[in-house]
Amino acid sequence: MKKNLPTKVYVQARTILALMLLTAITLHKELQSLPTDTPQQQYDLLLEQAQKCIKQKLFDQAINSLSQALTLMPNKKELLPILAYAYYSKNDSESAWLTYQKAAQAFPNRADIHFNTGFLARLLGKFEQAFPEFKKVIELDPSYNKAREQLGYTYLTLGRLQEGWAQFRYLDRRDPSIDNAHRLYDIDPKGKTIMVKDIGGYGDLFQFIRHAEELKKRGAHIIFYARPEIIPLLSRCPFFDQIVSQKEPVPEFDYYTNIAKMREDLDISIETISCSTPYIHPDPMLIKKWANAFTGDTQFKIGISWQAQMYVDEKTGQPILCSRSISAEQIKKLVREFPFISFYSLQKNADCSTLAIHKNFHTFDDSFDKINGRFMDTAAVMKNLDLVITIDTSIAHLAGALGVPVWTMLRKFPDWRWFIEREDSPWYPTMRLFRQPKEGDWNTIIQNIINELPLFIIKEQAAH
């Protein structure tokens, strides 16, 4: 090209091309700086992204998209409940609660939003802030039974038991499946046959059969309608006149209740919780058998349970610990700290390999609690131990009902039955409670136990 054009023309052409390129680049930059969509279109795109992320359980990305959408269009308050759900799903309950509070202000007549706000307040231990939310739900929708149930549990957690039972009795009267004509509300049980049905978990069973003693004191004839596998363990409970297997026909009765409803029927308060302890009595022959088995172990003996039911992670399909459980690695610190203490696992179906490397850690064989019956060996072993250390599980309630020394390790905000802040338990005079200072902090509890154990051992040895 250069050979066929004069030099001046060639330079001009090059200059024009350079200007054209510069213009194109500038225009491209300007176009990039301009919004490609209207605010509404950008909002719609962000919302679509958030919904896809929630379905895929990518909650961090969902929160980011929803936050951008709210920044873009602050008046779109309907995004707040979705954002709160995303926070809760990624286990950020504090942010979820704060977001639901904003949603409740934006939508004061939405019962579901007030319920979620109250539920999270209770979950976070903000009990006084939970009350008005649940009451608002009931005001908006009197048929919202879950709100009344949660209101009841909030009262119970604070030790206001009779106010809590009142909420549950209200629900019972509205339930057509419950024959309230034969419930124990406001009746004199003297001379009446009362059937108590066994329901719920084993921990509930061990804890709440205590209330049958009050019925017994009032002159009732008590029939316990029990799961067959638990009858051998409870056969020596002094509160029952008769125990019938649930594999048998329902016996005749005048009034009935169950493990969960008995406490409501009797309108139990903190002051009337106590009962004669122990009230579960293991087989004396099994107690003797395990005493003989332990004769070779002259060390201080502790039974230990650290794991509740496992759950499956929805994303990975892998088993995960529930929030009441402690990892074996954390328990290992305790076992390793005291080589002069014998630790006996009261754990079922747990991997003990991490702990088994320590010579002072012991397990039982596969026949344990199988040949003699459910919890039969566990109860007899506990009567031969110096202390039980456990998380919030049936082991804690069994130890308490047996009247043996037991230290129970609790989450920051545990189940209502442990109330708040107490180090003792009105349910069990031989129990001491160790609470997390903050949610998830098991290390502090383990360290507190390490600090307290030597003092406890000295005290026990002096007493004997």
Side-chain angles (χ1 to χ4, degrees):
M1 176 181 177
K2 185 175 180 180
K3 292 179 179 179
N4 300 326
L5 291 174
T7 301
K8 187 177 181 180
V9 175
Y10 176 78
V11 171
Q12 289 176 341
R14 290 290 301 270
T15 302
I16 292 170
L17 285 171
L19 288 172
M20 290 175 63
L21 178 60
L22 181 62
T23 302
I25 292 171
T26 303
L27 181 60
H28 178 68
K29 288 181 177 179
E30 289 176 351
L31 288 172
Q32 280 189 318
S33 67
L34 293 173
T36 56
D37 299 305
T38 65
Q40 182 63 52
Q41 289 172 322
Q42 291 181 54
Y43 170 87
D44 291 340
L45 180 60
L46 287 165
L47 179 58
E48 183 181 354
Q49 289 173 348
Q51 290 170 333
K52 286 180 179 178
C53 288
I54 287 174
K55 286 182 180 179
Q56 296 171 14
K57 304 189 186 303
L58 302 172
F59 298 112
D60 284 320
Q61 292 93 318
I63 290 167
N64 183 53
S65 295
L66 291 166
S67 300
Q68 288 186 57
L70 277 166
T71 300
L72 187 67
M73 302 187 75
N75 291 330
K76 294 287 188 178
K77 304 295 185 185
E78 60 269 25
L79 289 190
L80 290 169
I82 306 173
L83 179 59
Y85 170 79
Y87 277 125
Y88 179 67
S89 298
K90 66 163 284 191
N91 297 319
D92 186 353
S93 296
E94 183 74 29
S95 296
W97 175 65
L98 292 170
T99 307
Y100 268 126
Q101 279 191 308
K102 294 177 183 177
Q105 293 171 358
F107 303 100
N109 295 321
R110 284 276 300 273
D112 58 332
I113 292 176
H114 284 288
F115 175 83
N116 291 337
T117 309
F119 176 81
L120 283 167
R122 179 173 171 256
L123 189 70
L124 291 165
K126 304 175 189 294
F127 303 108
E128 294 301 333
Q129 288 157 290
F131 281 125
E133 299 297 339
F134 294 135
K135 290 177 180 178
K136 181 65 175 178
V137 176
I138 294 168
E139 175 190 324
L140 291 169
D141 183 359
S143 67
Y144 207 124
N145 292 341
K146 285 186 178 296
R148 195 173 290 276
E149 180 183 72
Q150 289 298 317
L151 178 61
Y153 282 128
T154 307
Y155 280 125
L156 297 182
T157 302
L158 296 179
R160 297 161 63 175
L161 301 188
Q162 290 171 313
E163 292 171 272
W165 306 141
Q167 301 301 320
F168 293 108
R169 282 198 293 270
Y170 178 89
L171 292 175
D172 290 346
R173 291 189 179 102
R174 293 172 56 87
D175 188 345
S177 69
I178 295 178
D179 180 9
N180 286 288
H182 289 86
R183 287 286 297 278
L184 295 178
Y185 303 132
D186 304 321
I187 64 104
D188 180 3
K190 186 175 182 180
K192 303 297 184 181
T193 296
I194 297 175
M195 185 185 78
V196 180
K197 187 176 181 181
D198 173 13
I199 65 167
Y202 288 119
D204 293 335
L205 169 64
F206 299 149
Q207 181 175 8
F208 297 126
I209 59 171
R210 66 176 55 240
H211 300 312
E213 182 183 36
E214 181 60 28
L215 292 173
K216 185 88 170 163
K217 286 179 179 178
R218 296 185 191 183
H221 178 87
I222 310 295
I223 299 174
F224 188 53
Y225 196 45
R227 284 168 281 190
E229 69 272 14
I230 209 67
I231 290 176
L233 179 66
L234 301 182
S235 62
R236 295 170 185 81
C237 179
F239 306 156
F240 304 129
D241 296 290
Q242 183 182 359
I243 299 180
V244 178
S245 168
Q246 290 181 1
K247 288 187 175 181
E248 302 297 324
V250 176
E252 292 186 5
F253 59 86
D254 297 309
Y255 296 95
Y256 84 94
T257 185
N258 62 44
I259 290 299
K261 301 300 179 187
M262 188 161 42
R263 62 206 183 195
E264 302 163 26
D265 290 337
L266 295 172
D267 208 24
I268 297 297
S269 67
I270 286 282
E271 294 71 30
T272 59
I273 276 177
S274 61
C275 76
S276 303
T277 306
Y279 52 87
I280 292 180
H281 301 276
D283 183 343
M285 296 299 292
L286 278 178
I287 296 175
K288 185 176 181 180
K289 170 196 167 183
W290 284 108
N292 291 335
F294 290 141
T295 53
D297 186 354
T298 58
Q299 297 193 119
F300 195 85
K301 291 180 277 295
I302 295 178
I304 192 158
S305 175
W306 63 93
Q307 185 175 296
Q309 181 181 358
M310 298 285 283
Y311 293 91
V312 176
D313 188 297
E314 293 182 2
K315 293 170 79 172
T316 66
Q318 297 299 312
I320 55 174
L321 294 177
C322 80
S323 56
R324 289 181 290 142
S325 297
I326 302 178
S327 71
E329 280 295 328
Q330 289 166 311
I331 294 298
K332 186 178 179 180
K333 299 175 188 176
L334 181 61
V335 175
R336 185 176 54 214
E337 186 73 23
F338 298 102
F340 56 87
I341 293 176
S342 294
F343 291 89
Y344 288 89
S345 172
L346 301 176
Q347 196 64 56
K348 301 290 194 307
N349 304 319
D351 182 4
C352 299
S353 57
T354 302
L355 299 163
I357 62 173
H358 297 281
K359 292 182 179 179
N360 61 326
F361 181 82
H362 309 279
T363 59
F364 300 103
D365 64 30
D366 291 341
S367 66
F368 193 77
D369 277 344
K370 290 182 180 177
I371 294 175
N372 296 305
R374 194 77 175 93
F375 290 103
M376 292 291 283
D377 289 307
T378 297
V381 163
M382 284 182 180
K383 296 296 283 188
N384 285 285
L385 298 173
D386 299 296
L387 175 66
V388 173
I389 298 177
T390 178
I391 58 166
D392 176 10
T393 186
S394 57
I395 293 295
H397 295 287
L398 179 57
L402 290 168
V404 302
V406 52
W407 291 1
T408 303
M409 301 178 285
L410 299 174
R411 296 173 53 202
K412 171 69 174 174
F413 301 113
D415 189 69
W416 69 266
R417 71 192 78 201
W418 305 117
F419 307 117
I420 57 172
E421 297 179 351
R422 301 181 65 138
E423 291 186 1
D424 68 327
S425 170
W427 306 104
Y428 305 115
T430 61
M431 181 178 286
R432 181 176 176 184
L433 305 178
F434 288 78
R435 298 176 181 270
Q436 291 178 347
K438 60 182 180 181
E439 190 65 28
D441 183 7
W442 292 114
N443 288 327
T444 298
I445 286 184
I446 294 296
Q447 188 58 52
N448 289 342
I449 288 175
I450 288 172
N451 296 340
E452 293 289 333
L453 254 182
L455 300 174
F456 178 80
I457 293 172
I458 292 170
K459 184 178 177 181
E460 286 294 299
Q461 289 175 340
H464 295 89

